[in-house]
Amino acid sequence: MKARTSLWASLAIAASVGLAGCGGSSNNTPNDPAPPKTHDPLPAGHGLTEGRDSTIKAGESLETPTGTVACPEDGMDCMIKVVKEINGSFTATSTGGEAAFTANPAPPPTKTVAEMQMEAYEAAKATIEAATTEAAAQAAYDDVDQTTITGEQAADLATALSTRIGEIQRLAKEENQKGALMSAHGLIDTSALTTPAQVQAAQNAIDALEALLDDPDSVDAVSSADRATYRGHVTTAQSAVDAATQRMTLADTAKTLDAALVALSGATATQSLIETANRALTALNNAISGADELTTSETAPYSDKASNAQRQITNAENAHANANAAQLKANAARLINGIKEPSDADNDNADTRFARYATSGEVTSDADVSTGDIRVSNGTNDVYLSEDKKTKVDDHYGWNGKRYTHSEPNEEAMYESHVYSTRGPAVEGKKFGGTDSATEYAYDLEQGQADDAAIRNGEINARTPDRDGTALEAGVHAAKVSFTNVDRTTGTEVFKRETDGPTRIVIPGSYDGVSGTYYCTPATGNQCSATVAASGFTLSTDMWAFDPANPENKVKGSQGALYASYGWWFYTPADDEDSYDASAFAIDEGGTISGIDSLEGKATYNGGAAGKYALSSDTGGTNDAGHFTARATLQANFSENDDADEAVTGTIDQFVGADGKSRNWKVELKASAISDAGAMGAATAGTIWTIGSTAADAGGEWTGQFTQKDATTGSVVHAPKVATGTFLSTFNNDGRMVGAFGVTTKDTTTSP
């Protein structure tokens, strides 16, 4: 509602319109005009006529730009006269009735362009910043009329849009990552952890949650506080899983220990049973010490069980040690008389103790003898020992170790031998096949054969391959035959031809180390066969062809020529009352030599030794028996070849016994002359065996032979490269050992 005020009041209250009242409180009569009164200036646009009287009848009003002039209804007409002042403003006088002025509301101020631009910018920015989706933020931006804002404001709105969209995306990413963490946490169930499957499931779930927390890309929008909370969940759950695992481990190891103790409490405890029980006890003790998530009350019963088990195992160990001592005493007594000095040759008498490699004639004439077998003669029997490829013998000081055995069917008697050998450099194989005039090829490939022949062009006869135009002996090359899909180790493999299939049976494999394909044409029927040999396969008497995948590939190379071997052999009779039989041997393959007498200077030879030993006592002394390995050293002074006290001496030391433990022993090989052909040794009182600091009386014997490593025959111009030998040593009446050695040198002593 408009405000009313008297025209006689200051018109400044009514936005600067000033009027003279049409009447007053004087004593003038109503018909007398009131004295003119001058009031405040009127602003321009007042709506009254300058210099003229304006009459407003009683009860009427006059609208002006700045308000309404009303004449009272119950009074006289109001006479208003406007007078212009010199300074351009107006004053008004009034006579007659008392007019009242009601000012119009002040009009809103006119906005500037800048103000309108700011208003549009701020409204748009507020809408963008309040948007909860990318689409809403984009729509708020798109709704802005770019002509109504400045370029700077437009750029700021674009920045605000980008910022808001980024924040919306961050919030969405945070929500998704929190959801993934929440889901992963929800999969962890530690309420029931009594079975391995439950424990594993919980562990998998823990690992999955931990993997999320460890992956920066999976939690980069999650606050550090929230991440810490989930880390806490992982720690708590892992503790529960660890505790459950430890409970099950304790129960399982205790059960295993119980079973081991039951076995140990049965018959006489064996070393194997004792070791099994000790492993089980160790496992339980480890489980107890590792049960850091369990209380002492939970682990106490298992600790008691472990203590009781330790007492039971200790008792079993003591009983086993006593039994072992008795057995070792019996073995030592049985072996000490069976250790005999090696023979120089197979004399075919009761004292013969001789060993060598089987000769080619023996291999050819005896189907049970193979190349590389060891022939042992003990005065009663001549037997051939075959290589035991399943049992590893460690190399010793660079000499290759092998085990050989022989046992008679249906008998408990057995021969065993350990042999150590040194060889020359390996020889690279030739290319597989070519023409018979090309010496770089191992085999002659067939030529000029028909397309349907049993053996065709580019193939070889796998049973009797040609080399340089000559057919090789059938059956000798079994070791070269291998089949891709055949893994049998005994018996015969049969290959059948399909009734309507090709004439030749196709079998993938390799020959002499080169891959390819075998083709077999059955002589009769529809099948061929291959029988497992000592190495490889012996092919049936059908037509066997082999087609190399690439005839330029090289066949297997051959190992270097055998220079020398040494070793021991041991015979266990079927009757437990009979003595064992043991001796040693050395075999030189380097050829005969001469010219040692012409050498000057010294050379040191180093290598290994091996053999059998027995210490036997009925008076509380040491009882020990078995096989040994040791270090061997020879010191040769070729300038003193004719002097038995100066030419060559030897030492066997660093012994390791049958139990794998070292022995503080040393055997001195007393000084010997060296013959022009390289022979050496001391046949009488030739050794001294020292145990600890106690040396036995000189006894036993030793013999050896130098051989030329880089020439099979001829005069020596450098120090011989290899020496082998045997020795028998005694420790008074309580000990005997027999062994052999093999040594080499890098010294290059030359003749004058």
Side-chain angles (χ1 to χ4, degrees):
M1 176 178 292
K2 296 179 180 180
R4 294 177 59 86
T5 183
S6 170
L7 281 175
W8 311 123
S10 173
L11 294 182
I13 299 176
S16 75
V17 176
L19 299 176
C22 295
S25 57
S26 66
N27 296 324
N28 295 340
T29 62
N31 293 322
D32 292 333
K37 296 179 181 179
T38 301
H39 298 279
D40 293 336
L42 291 173
H46 47 75
L48 302 175
T49 302
E50 178 183 342
R52 292 179 58 186
D53 292 336
S54 294
T55 300
I56 303 175
K57 291 184 177 294
E60 294 182 0
S61 62
L62 173 66
E63 298 292 335
T64 75
T66 57
T68 301
V69 180
C71 193
E73 185 175 352
D74 55 353
M76 295 182 295
D77 293 341
C78 298
M79 302 297 292
I80 299 173
K81 183 176 182 178
V82 177
V83 180
K84 183 176 182 180
E85 294 289 333
I86 296 175
N87 59 8
S89 62
F90 294 87
T91 58
T93 59
S94 61
T95 57
E98 184 178 356
F101 176 78
T102 302
N104 290 333
T110 302
K111 296 179 181 178
T112 66
V113 172
E115 289 173 332
M116 289 187 291
Q117 289 173 332
M118 179 60 71
E119 184 178 80
Y121 157 74
E122 290 177 345
K125 186 173 183 180
T127 304
I128 290 172
E129 291 176 343
T132 57
T133 67
E134 293 182 48
Q138 186 66 51
Y141 177 81
D142 293 341
D143 286 345
V144 177
D145 184 352
Q146 298 291 322
T147 64
T148 63
I149 58 177
T150 67
E152 182 180 354
Q153 290 169 338
D156 189 58
L157 287 182
T159 300
L161 173 65
S162 177
T163 300
R164 186 54 185 167
I165 288 177
E167 178 64 10
I168 291 171
Q169 292 174 342
R170 188 198 68 77
L171 291 172
K173 185 176 183 180
E174 179 183 14
E175 184 177 357
N176 290 337
Q177 290 183 350
K178 284 184 176 180
L181 290 172
M182 186 178 299
S183 297
H185 178 236
L187 294 175
I188 300 175
D189 182 7
T190 58
S191 62
L193 296 174
T194 57
T195 68
Q198 291 171 334
V199 170
Q200 188 59 56
Q203 186 63 62
N204 291 343
I206 291 171
D207 292 343
L209 175 56
E210 196 163 27
L212 278 178
L213 291 169
D214 290 340
D215 180 14
D217 292 337
S218 297
V219 292
D220 56 348
V222 179
S223 69
S224 58
D226 286 340
R227 292 198 300 270
T229 297
Y230 282 102
R231 289 285 184 190
H233 294 330
V234 167
T235 300
T236 301
Q238 189 64 63
S239 178
V241 167
D242 289 346
T245 301
Q246 291 165 9
R247 290 187 189 95
M248 286 189 286
T249 301
L250 285 171
D252 290 343
T253 53
K255 183 178 179 181
T256 301
L257 178 59
D258 287 341
L261 294 177
V262 169
L264 196 62
S265 63
T268 302
T270 65
Q271 184 63 33
S272 175
L273 291 176
I274 291 174
E275 290 174 356
T276 299
N278 270 321
R279 284 194 297 270
L281 177 57
T282 299
L284 178 57
N285 282 328
N286 289 340
I288 293 171
S289 62
D292 54 355
E293 296 290 345
L294 305 184
T295 63
T296 302
S297 61
E298 288 183 282
T299 59
Y302 296 102
S303 297
D304 293 341
K305 179 183 286 292
S307 298
N308 294 333
Q310 183 62 72
R311 286 191 291 271
Q312 184 176 343
I313 293 173
T314 300
N315 292 337
E317 287 174 334
N318 293 336
H320 180 67
N322 293 335
N324 268 0
Q327 183 62 52
L328 190 58
K329 181 178 180 179
N331 287 343
R334 191 177 176 192
L335 178 58
I336 194 168
N337 294 323
I339 292 177
K340 303 290 179 61
E341 63 272 16
S343 302
D344 293 335
D346 187 357
N347 299 319
D348 198 20
N349 58 46
D351 294 329
T352 297
R353 297 293 184 273
F354 184 74
R356 59 172 170 76
Y357 286 110
T359 65
S360 59
E362 291 168 324
V363 172
T364 303
S365 62
D366 192 332
D368 293 331
V369 180
S370 301
T371 301
D373 282 358
I374 300 294
R375 182 177 185 267
V376 171
S377 299
N378 67 350
T380 302
N381 300 304
D382 294 330
V383 296
Y384 294 92
L385 281 62
S386 299
E387 183 183 352
D388 175 10
K389 295 183 178 181
K390 295 181 180 179
T391 303
K392 176 178 174 56
V393 174
D394 291 336
D395 292 351
H396 194 46
Y397 286 93
W399 292 53
N400 178 241
K402 291 183 179 181
R403 180 176 186 261
Y404 294 78
T405 60
H406 172 85
S407 59
E408 295 294 335
N410 303 319
E411 290 187 16
E412 295 182 3
M414 180 179 177
Y415 286 84
E416 177 187 12
S417 176
H418 284 197
V419 181
Y420 300 88
S421 303
T422 183
R423 294 180 176 272
V427 178
E428 185 179 27
K430 294 182 177 182
K431 297 177 182 178
F432 185 87
T435 63
D436 57 6
S437 62
T439 57
E440 72 266 29
Y441 293 104
Y443 305 105
D444 302 336
L445 300 180
E446 292 290 336
Q447 302 177 59
Q449 299 295 326
D451 290 343
D452 59 352
I455 301 176
R456 302 173 186 175
N457 293 336
E459 300 174 349
I460 65 169
N461 186 324
R463 295 189 70 250
T464 58
D466 286 351
R467 178 176 294 162
D468 298 332
T470 302
L472 302 177
E473 184 180 354
V476 174
H477 306 287
K480 299 178 180 180
V481 177
S482 176
F483 300 109
T484 303
N485 299 319
V486 178
D487 55 6
R488 67 167 54 247
T489 57
T490 60
T492 299
E493 187 77 12
V494 175
F495 307 98
K496 294 185 177 181
R497 181 175 69 84
E498 297 294 335
T499 303
D500 298 327
T503 303
R504 303 196 303 176
I505 302 172
V506 180
I507 310 159
S510 64
Y511 189 88
D512 207 358
V514 174
S515 61
T517 305
Y518 287 91
Y519 297 97
C520 183
T521 304
T524 60
N526 65 346
Q527 64 184 38
C528 298
S529 64
T531 302
V532 175
S535 179
F537 291 85
T538 300
L539 302 176
S540 60
T541 57
D542 303 286
M543 291 296 294
W544 284 85
F546 179 76
D547 182 14
N550 184 353
E552 295 295 306
N553 287 343
K554 292 183 178 181
V555 301
K556 290 180 181 177
S558 60
Q559 57 182 332
L562 183 64
Y563 288 133
S565 300
Y566 73 89
W568 54 263
W569 59 266
F570 179 66
Y571 171 62
T572 303
D575 190 340
D576 291 342
E577 300 300 322
D578 293 340
S579 294
Y580 296 121
D581 206 357
S583 194
F585 59 91
I587 306 170
D588 298 313
E589 301 288 345
T592 59
I593 61 172
S594 61
I596 294 292
D597 288 346
S598 65
L599 291 180
E600 296 291 337
K602 298 179 181 181
T604 299
Y605 293 79
N606 299 296
K612 282 286 185 177
Y613 69 93
L615 288 167
S616 179
S617 173
D618 288 325
T619 58
T622 300
N623 286 283
D624 191 5
H627 60 266
F628 70 83
T629 57
R631 180 180 67 174
T633 305
L634 291 183
Q635 298 287 350
N637 185 347
F638 295 107
S639 301
E640 304 291 342
N641 287 349
D642 295 331
D643 190 337
D645 294 330
E646 297 290 340
V648 61
T649 59
T651 303
I652 312 296
D653 59 6
Q654 295 189 7
F655 282 82
V656 175
D659 56 3
K661 298 179 181 179
S662 62
R663 301 289 193 273
N664 187 15
W665 300 346
K666 181 177 72 174
V667 173
E668 176 189 348
L669 306 181
K670 298 189 70 175
S672 162
I674 306 172
S675 74
D676 187 63
M680 56 188 157
T684 303
T687 71
I688 298 176
W689 182 357
T690 299
I691 298 179
S693 59
T694 303
D697 296 335
E701 62 184 53
W702 74 276
T703 184
Q705 176 66 50
F706 285 110
T707 185
Q708 182 72 1
K709 182 176 179 181
D710 48 11
T712 56
T713 59
S715 298
V716 175
V717 294
H718 297 290
K721 300 299 183 184
V722 180
T724 57
T726 62
F727 61 95
L728 174 75
S729 190
T730 60
F731 195 81
N732 301 327
N733 295 322
D734 295 330
R736 288 174 70 85
M737 76 165 65
V738 65
F741 61 84
V743 292
T744 60
T745 186
K746 294 182 179 179
D747 291 343
T748 57
T749 302
T750 60
S751 59

Short mmCIF file of all heavy atoms in Angstrom, two decimals, residues 265-310:
data_model
loop_
_atom_site.label_atom_id
_atom_site.label_comp_id
_atom_site.label_asym_id
_atom_site.label_seq_id
_atom_site.Cartn_x
_atom_site.Cartn_y
_atom_site.Cartn_z
N SER A 265 57.64 -98.80 18.12
CA SER A 265 57.49 -99.63 19.31
C SER A 265 57.27 -101.10 18.98
O SER A 265 57.14 -101.93 19.87
CB SER A 265 56.31 -99.12 20.16
OG SER A 265 55.10 -99.25 19.43
N GLY A 266 57.24 -101.43 17.69
CA GLY A 266 57.02 -102.82 17.28
C GLY A 266 58.28 -103.63 17.40
O GLY A 266 58.88 -103.76 18.48
N ALA A 267 58.72 -104.20 16.28
CA ALA A 267 59.92 -105.02 16.27
C ALA A 267 61.14 -104.13 16.51
O ALA A 267 61.03 -102.94 16.78
CB ALA A 267 60.04 -105.74 14.93
N THR A 268 62.33 -104.73 16.41
CA THR A 268 63.56 -103.97 16.62
C THR A 268 63.58 -102.75 15.70
O THR A 268 63.38 -102.85 14.50
CB THR A 268 64.78 -104.85 16.32
OG1 THR A 268 64.73 -106.00 17.17
CG2 THR A 268 66.06 -104.08 16.58
N ALA A 269 63.81 -101.60 16.32
CA ALA A 269 63.75 -100.35 15.56
C ALA A 269 64.87 -100.30 14.53
O ALA A 269 66.02 -100.61 14.84
CB ALA A 269 63.85 -99.17 16.51
N THR A 270 64.51 -99.90 13.33
CA THR A 270 65.51 -99.70 12.28
C THR A 270 65.87 -98.23 12.21
O THR A 270 65.15 -97.37 12.75
CB THR A 270 64.97 -100.16 10.92
OG1 THR A 270 63.87 -99.30 10.56
CG2 THR A 270 64.50 -101.60 10.96
N GLN A 271 66.97 -97.94 11.53
CA GLN A 271 67.38 -96.56 11.37
C GLN A 271 66.32 -95.77 10.63
O GLN A 271 66.06 -94.61 10.93
CB GLN A 271 68.72 -96.48 10.63
CG GLN A 271 69.27 -95.07 10.50
CD GLN A 271 69.58 -94.44 11.85
OE1 GLN A 271 69.97 -95.14 12.79
NE2 GLN A 271 69.40 -93.13 11.96
N SER A 272 65.68 -96.42 9.66
CA SER A 272 64.64 -95.75 8.89
C SER A 272 63.46 -95.36 9.77
O SER A 272 62.93 -94.25 9.68
CB SER A 272 64.18 -96.66 7.75
OG SER A 272 63.10 -96.07 7.05
N LEU A 273 63.03 -96.29 10.66
CA LEU A 273 61.91 -95.98 11.56
C LEU A 273 62.28 -94.87 12.54
O LEU A 273 61.45 -94.00 12.86
CB LEU A 273 61.49 -97.24 12.30
CG LEU A 273 60.83 -98.34 11.47
CD1 LEU A 273 60.55 -99.56 12.33
CD2 LEU A 273 59.54 -97.84 10.82
N ILE A 274 63.50 -94.90 13.02
CA ILE A 274 63.95 -93.85 13.94
C ILE A 274 63.96 -92.50 13.24
O ILE A 274 63.51 -91.49 13.79
CB ILE A 274 65.34 -94.19 14.50
CG1 ILE A 274 65.25 -95.41 15.43
CG2 ILE A 274 65.94 -93.00 15.24
CD1 ILE A 274 66.59 -95.92 15.91
N GLU A 275 64.47 -92.48 12.02
CA GLU A 275 64.50 -91.22 11.27
C GLU A 275 63.09 -90.71 10.99
O GLU A 275 62.84 -89.50 11.06
CB GLU A 275 65.27 -91.43 9.97
CG GLU A 275 66.77 -91.64 10.18
CD GLU A 275 67.49 -91.98 8.90
OE1 GLU A 275 66.80 -92.14 7.85
OE2 GLU A 275 68.73 -92.10 8.92
N THR A 276 62.18 -91.63 10.68
CA THR A 276 60.79 -91.23 10.44
C THR A 276 60.19 -90.61 11.69
O THR A 276 59.50 -89.57 11.64
CB THR A 276 59.96 -92.42 9.98
OG1 THR A 276 60.49 -92.93 8.76
CG2 THR A 276 58.51 -92.04 9.77
N ALA A 277 60.44 -91.24 12.85
CA ALA A 277 59.90 -90.72 14.11
C ALA A 277 60.53 -89.37 14.44
O ALA A 277 59.83 -88.45 14.90
CB ALA A 277 60.16 -91.72 15.23
N ASN A 278 61.82 -89.23 14.20
CA ASN A 278 62.47 -87.94 14.48
C ASN A 278 61.94 -86.84 13.58
O ASN A 278 61.76 -85.69 14.02
CB ASN A 278 63.98 -88.08 14.30
CG ASN A 278 64.68 -88.50 15.60
OD1 ASN A 278 64.32 -88.04 16.68
ND2 ASN A 278 65.66 -89.38 15.49
N ARG A 279 61.69 -87.17 12.32
CA ARG A 279 61.11 -86.16 11.42
C ARG A 279 59.72 -85.75 11.89
O ARG A 279 59.36 -84.57 11.86
CB ARG A 279 61.06 -86.70 9.99
CG ARG A 279 62.40 -86.72 9.28
CD ARG A 279 62.23 -86.94 7.79
NE ARG A 279 61.63 -88.23 7.49
CZ ARG A 279 62.31 -89.34 7.28
NH1 ARG A 279 63.64 -89.32 7.33
NH2 ARG A 279 61.71 -90.48 7.00
N ALA A 280 58.94 -86.74 12.34
CA ALA A 280 57.59 -86.43 12.82
C ALA A 280 57.65 -85.59 14.09
O ALA A 280 56.85 -84.65 14.26
CB ALA A 280 56.83 -87.73 13.09
N LEU A 281 58.60 -85.90 14.98
CA LEU A 281 58.74 -85.11 16.20
C LEU A 281 59.18 -83.69 15.88
O LEU A 281 58.68 -82.71 16.46
CB LEU A 281 59.76 -85.78 17.13
CG LEU A 281 60.07 -85.01 18.43
CD1 LEU A 281 58.81 -84.77 19.24
CD2 LEU A 281 61.11 -85.78 19.25
N THR A 282 60.11 -83.56 14.96
CA THR A 282 60.56 -82.22 14.55
C THR A 282 59.40 -81.41 13.97
O THR A 282 59.25 -80.22 14.25
CB THR A 282 61.69 -82.33 13.51
OG1 THR A 282 62.80 -83.01 14.10
CG2 THR A 282 62.13 -80.95 13.03
N ALA A 283 58.58 -82.09 13.18
CA ALA A 283 57.42 -81.40 12.59
C ALA A 283 56.46 -80.91 13.67
O ALA A 283 55.93 -79.79 13.59
CB ALA A 283 56.71 -82.33 11.62
N LEU A 284 56.24 -81.74 14.70
CA LEU A 284 55.34 -81.33 15.78
C LEU A 284 55.96 -80.16 16.56
O LEU A 284 55.26 -79.19 16.88
CB LEU A 284 55.05 -82.50 16.71
CG LEU A 284 54.15 -82.17 17.92
CD1 LEU A 284 52.81 -81.60 17.45
CD2 LEU A 284 53.95 -83.40 18.79
N ASN A 285 57.23 -80.25 16.87
CA ASN A 285 57.88 -79.15 17.60
C ASN A 285 57.84 -77.85 16.80
O ASN A 285 57.64 -76.77 17.36
CB ASN A 285 59.33 -79.52 17.93
CG ASN A 285 59.42 -80.48 19.11
OD1 ASN A 285 58.61 -80.42 20.03
ND2 ASN A 285 60.41 -81.37 19.09
N ASN A 286 58.04 -77.97 15.50
CA ASN A 286 57.94 -76.77 14.65
C ASN A 286 56.53 -76.21 14.66
O ASN A 286 56.34 -74.99 14.66
CB ASN A 286 58.36 -77.11 13.22
CG ASN A 286 59.84 -77.37 13.10
OD1 ASN A 286 60.63 -76.96 13.96
ND2 ASN A 286 60.25 -78.04 12.04
N ALA A 287 55.54 -77.10 14.66
CA ALA A 287 54.15 -76.64 14.70
C ALA A 287 53.84 -75.94 16.01
O ALA A 287 53.12 -74.94 16.05
CB ALA A 287 53.21 -77.83 14.49
N ILE A 288 54.40 -76.47 17.10
CA ILE A 288 54.18 -75.84 18.42
C ILE A 288 54.82 -74.46 18.46
O ILE A 288 54.19 -73.47 18.88
CB ILE A 288 54.75 -76.74 19.54
CG1 ILE A 288 53.95 -78.05 19.63
CG2 ILE A 288 54.71 -76.01 20.88
CD1 ILE A 288 54.57 -79.07 20.56
N SER A 289 56.07 -74.37 18.03
CA SER A 289 56.75 -73.08 18.08
C SER A 289 56.14 -72.07 17.11
O SER A 289 56.23 -70.86 17.33
CB SER A 289 58.24 -73.27 17.75
OG SER A 289 58.40 -73.79 16.44
N GLY A 290 55.50 -72.57 16.07
CA GLY A 290 54.89 -71.67 15.10
C GLY A 290 53.45 -71.30 15.40
O GLY A 290 52.84 -70.53 14.67
N ALA A 291 52.90 -71.83 16.52
CA ALA A 291 51.49 -71.58 16.84
C ALA A 291 51.35 -70.28 17.62
O ALA A 291 50.89 -70.25 18.76
CB ALA A 291 50.93 -72.76 17.64
N ASP A 292 51.75 -69.17 17.01
CA ASP A 292 51.74 -67.89 17.70
C ASP A 292 50.35 -67.29 17.86
O ASP A 292 50.17 -66.31 18.58
CB ASP A 292 52.65 -66.90 16.98
CG ASP A 292 52.32 -66.75 15.51
OD1 ASP A 292 51.44 -67.49 15.02
OD2 ASP A 292 52.94 -65.91 14.83
N GLU A 293 49.35 -67.86 17.18
CA GLU A 293 47.98 -67.36 17.32
C GLU A 293 47.19 -68.13 18.38
O GLU A 293 46.04 -67.80 18.66
CB GLU A 293 47.25 -67.47 15.98
CG GLU A 293 47.82 -66.60 14.86
CD GLU A 293 47.58 -65.12 15.09
OE1 GLU A 293 46.73 -64.79 15.94
OE2 GLU A 293 48.24 -64.30 14.43
N LEU A 294 47.81 -69.15 18.96
CA LEU A 294 47.11 -69.99 19.93
C LEU A 294 47.59 -69.68 21.35
O LEU A 294 48.71 -69.22 21.56
CB LEU A 294 47.34 -71.47 19.61
CG LEU A 294 46.96 -71.93 18.20
CD1 LEU A 294 47.16 -73.43 18.07
CD2 LEU A 294 45.53 -71.55 17.86
N THR A 295 46.75 -69.99 22.29
CA THR A 295 47.09 -69.77 23.69
C THR A 295 47.94 -70.93 24.21
O THR A 295 47.98 -72.02 23.61
CB THR A 295 45.82 -69.66 24.55
OG1 THR A 295 45.12 -70.91 24.49
CG2 THR A 295 44.92 -68.55 24.03
N THR A 296 48.61 -70.70 25.31
CA THR A 296 49.44 -71.75 25.92
C THR A 296 48.59 -72.96 26.30
O THR A 296 49.04 -74.11 26.17
CB THR A 296 50.14 -71.19 27.17
OG1 THR A 296 50.92 -70.06 26.79
CG2 THR A 296 51.04 -72.24 27.79
N SER A 297 47.38 -72.73 26.72
CA SER A 297 46.51 -73.85 27.10
C SER A 297 46.17 -74.72 25.90
O SER A 297 45.95 -75.93 26.04
CB SER A 297 45.22 -73.33 27.74
OG SER A 297 44.50 -72.52 26.83
N GLU A 298 46.15 -74.13 24.70
CA GLU A 298 45.87 -74.92 23.51
C GLU A 298 47.08 -75.76 23.09
O GLU A 298 46.93 -76.86 22.57
CB GLU A 298 45.46 -74.00 22.36
CG GLU A 298 44.07 -73.40 22.50
CD GLU A 298 43.69 -72.56 21.30
OE1 GLU A 298 44.16 -71.42 21.21
OE2 GLU A 298 42.92 -73.05 20.44
N THR A 299 48.29 -75.22 23.28
CA THR A 299 49.48 -75.93 22.83
C THR A 299 50.07 -76.86 23.88
O THR A 299 50.87 -77.73 23.55
CB THR A 299 50.56 -74.92 22.40
OG1 THR A 299 50.89 -74.07 23.52
CG2 THR A 299 50.07 -74.06 21.25
N ALA A 300 49.69 -76.68 25.13
CA ALA A 300 50.29 -77.48 26.21
C ALA A 300 50.16 -78.99 25.99
O ALA A 300 51.14 -79.73 26.19
CB ALA A 300 49.68 -77.07 27.55
N PRO A 301 48.99 -79.52 25.59
CA PRO A 301 48.90 -80.98 25.39
C PRO A 301 49.87 -81.48 24.32
O PRO A 301 50.41 -82.60 24.44
CB PRO A 301 47.44 -81.18 24.94
CG PRO A 301 46.71 -79.99 25.47
CD PRO A 301 47.68 -78.87 25.39
N TYR A 302 50.11 -80.68 23.32
CA TYR A 302 51.03 -81.10 22.26
C TYR A 302 52.48 -81.04 22.75
O TYR A 302 53.31 -81.86 22.36
CB TYR A 302 50.84 -80.22 21.03
CG TYR A 302 49.47 -80.37 20.41
CD1 TYR A 302 48.48 -79.41 20.60
CD2 TYR A 302 49.17 -81.48 19.64
CE1 TYR A 302 47.22 -79.55 20.05
CE2 TYR A 302 47.91 -81.63 19.06
CZ TYR A 302 46.94 -80.67 19.27
OH TYR A 302 45.70 -80.82 18.71
N SER A 303 52.79 -80.08 23.59
CA SER A 303 54.13 -80.01 24.17
C SER A 303 54.40 -81.25 25.02
O SER A 303 55.51 -81.81 25.00
CB SER A 303 54.29 -78.74 25.01
OG SER A 303 54.15 -77.59 24.20
N ASP A 304 53.41 -81.67 25.79
CA ASP A 304 53.55 -82.89 26.59
C ASP A 304 53.77 -84.11 25.70
O ASP A 304 54.60 -84.98 25.99
CB ASP A 304 52.31 -83.09 27.46
CG ASP A 304 52.17 -82.02 28.53
OD1 ASP A 304 53.19 -81.35 28.83
OD2 ASP A 304 51.05 -81.83 29.04
N LYS A 305 53.02 -84.17 24.61
CA LYS A 305 53.16 -85.29 23.68
C LYS A 305 54.57 -85.32 23.10
O LYS A 305 55.19 -86.39 22.96
CB LYS A 305 52.12 -85.19 22.57
CG LYS A 305 52.21 -86.31 21.52
CD LYS A 305 51.20 -86.12 20.42
CE LYS A 305 49.81 -86.43 20.90
NZ LYS A 305 49.64 -87.88 21.17
N ALA A 306 55.10 -84.16 22.76
CA ALA A 306 56.43 -84.09 22.18
C ALA A 306 57.48 -84.55 23.19
O ALA A 306 58.43 -85.27 22.82
CB ALA A 306 56.73 -82.67 21.72
N SER A 307 57.34 -84.18 24.43
CA SER A 307 58.29 -84.60 25.46
C SER A 307 58.28 -86.11 25.64
O SER A 307 59.33 -86.76 25.73
CB SER A 307 57.97 -83.90 26.79
OG SER A 307 58.09 -82.49 26.67
N ASN A 308 57.10 -86.69 25.69
CA ASN A 308 56.99 -88.14 25.83
C ASN A 308 57.57 -88.86 24.61
O ASN A 308 58.23 -89.89 24.74
CB ASN A 308 55.53 -88.53 26.02
CG ASN A 308 54.96 -88.02 27.34
OD1 ASN A 308 55.71 -87.82 28.31
ND2 ASN A 308 53.65 -87.80 27.39
N ALA A 309 57.33 -88.31 23.43
CA ALA A 309 57.84 -88.92 22.21
C ALA A 309 59.36 -88.88 22.18
O ALA A 309 60.01 -89.84 21.74
CB ALA A 309 57.27 -88.20 21.00
N GLN A 310 59.94 -87.77 22.67
CA GLN A 310 61.40 -87.67 22.68
C GLN A 310 62.02 -88.77 23.53
O GLN A 310 63.04 -89.36 23.15
CB GLN A 310 61.82 -86.29 23.20
CG GLN A 310 63.32 -86.06 23.18
CD GLN A 310 63.88 -86.11 21.78
OE1 GLN A 310 63.66 -85.21 20.99
NE2 GLN A 310 64.60 -87.19 21.45
#
